[in-house]
Each structure stands twice: as structure tokens, then as C-alpha cells.
Amino acid sequence: MKNILTQLIILALLVLSALGLFEFQRNRSDFYQKKVEKLRLENDALLQQNEKLSLANRLLKVNTRRARIEVLGQEKEQDVVKTSTIRFTEFAPEGNIVAAPREFTLVGDKVYVDALVVKFDDEHVEKSDPLRSRSLCSFLRIFGEHQNPADGFPIDAENTIPSVYRSSDREPSAFEKDLWKNFWEISNAPEKQRLRGIHAIHGEAPSQKLEPGRIYNVELRSSGGLSITVE
């Protein structure tokens, strides 16, 4: 009887030990799972921060968009300008040419620069928010006064990030992709604008009457809209 009782006690101790070991292993597994999840969340946060810093670094270098329109010549009939031939050249803030100059022949003597513009809330500009402290612009097309805008000469491709804001060594951020891919959707959704800190997002097409031999500068200021000035 004594031996049976001893065996039962030993068996109970073994069962308790096994249960304790199982509980220990389960707790340890939960601990490591929570630790892995915490590290994953921290890594995601670091990746997002790195993405923002990458975008900020690129945008700090492009606080304006500048282009030059040179009037190369005009054709007239009975003192009425029928066509104007221009050369369009875009410059980086440092002064170097962004892309090869392009020549276009417009119908009429007025040029329109059709663009998409994003302006951010004043609070982001005043705080020098690295992502939203300057206006952004996409030059869509150029056309003359007697041309259908849809038949204008394209500059930046619609629904894509303008090349001046892209970097050859980094993938564009989700913020940039969303902004340009869904430009018109965001422009018609006030809530989406608020979430992105956008003050205004719309098309803009300043125009200018052209004169032979003149040079016209197209510029987007860091906190404003497009302007055209003459030299």
C-alpha cells in the first residue's frame, strides 16, 4: 500500500512538473511572439520615418519649379498672328537644365501653361514641415489660345510623380504616389484634403500674350501659385 501511495505521489509530481513545463513553454512562446510583434511595429515605424525623411530631403532641394519660354518666331496674316513658335526649358533651383529644351508651335499669340497645383495648410508651412512646407506643381501641357487644351503639348505625364520630384536612387514614398495618382479624387474630397494637410488642390492655367524675341519665366513659388513674368 505504501509503495502504491509513493508511486501515486511520484506520478502526481511528474504530472505537475509536466504541466508546469508546458505553462512555462507557453508563456515563453507568448513572450517571444509579443517581442517579435513589438520589433515589427518598431521596424515599420522606422521605415515610415525613413520614407518621410527621404521625401523631405528631395523636396528641400526643389522649393520652386522654374521654366523659361522663349519666343522664336511668329507667323502673321494681315497683321494677325496665326502661330507662335516657342522653346520651353525647365530649370532646377540650382540653375541647371532639368530636361532637354523642347520647341512647340502654338496656334495664336497667347500661351497657356496648364498645371496641377497642391498648396498645404499654413501651419505646415510656418512650422517648416519637411513634407508640406512648399507648394507642389505638375506641368501638364502647353497650348495656344486657338487650340483645344486636350490637344496641347504634354510636359509631365498625368497621374505620375513629376520627374523633378523623383530620385533615381530611392523609391517614391506612398505619400507622393497617392497624391499624384489620386489628384482629382483628393481635389473633390475635403476630408481627404484635411487628412493630408492640404489647403488647396486644383488645376491652374496662367496665360500670357507672346511677343517676338521675348523671354517669359514661369515659376511656382514655394508657398503660392504659378506666375509668368517677362524679361
Side-chain angles (χ1 to χ4, degrees), residues 33-50:
Q33 286 181 359
K34 290 178 181 178
K35 190 171 184 180
V36 168
E37 179 63 16
K38 181 181 178 182
L39 290 173
R40 186 188 67 78
L41 292 174
E42 291 176 350
N43 184 63
D44 288 346
L46 288 173
L47 288 174
Q48 291 179 10
Q49 182 65 19
N50 182 64

Side-chain angles (χ1 to χ4, degrees), residues 70 203 231:
E70 302 170 73
E231 290 186 11

Side-chain angles (χ1 to χ4, degrees), residues 129-140:
D129 185 310
L131 297 177
R132 296 167 290 187
S133 61
R134 60 197 47 76
S135 298
L136 303 176
C137 168
S138 173
F139 291 138
L140 279 186

Side-chain angles (χ1 to χ4, degrees), residues 51-53 55-56 59 120 129-134 136 175:
E51 185 179 75
K52 289 182 178 180
L53 291 173
L55 172 60
L59 293 184
F120 294 100
D129 185 310
L131 297 177
R132 296 167 290 187
S133 61
R134 60 197 47 76
L136 303 176
F175 177 84

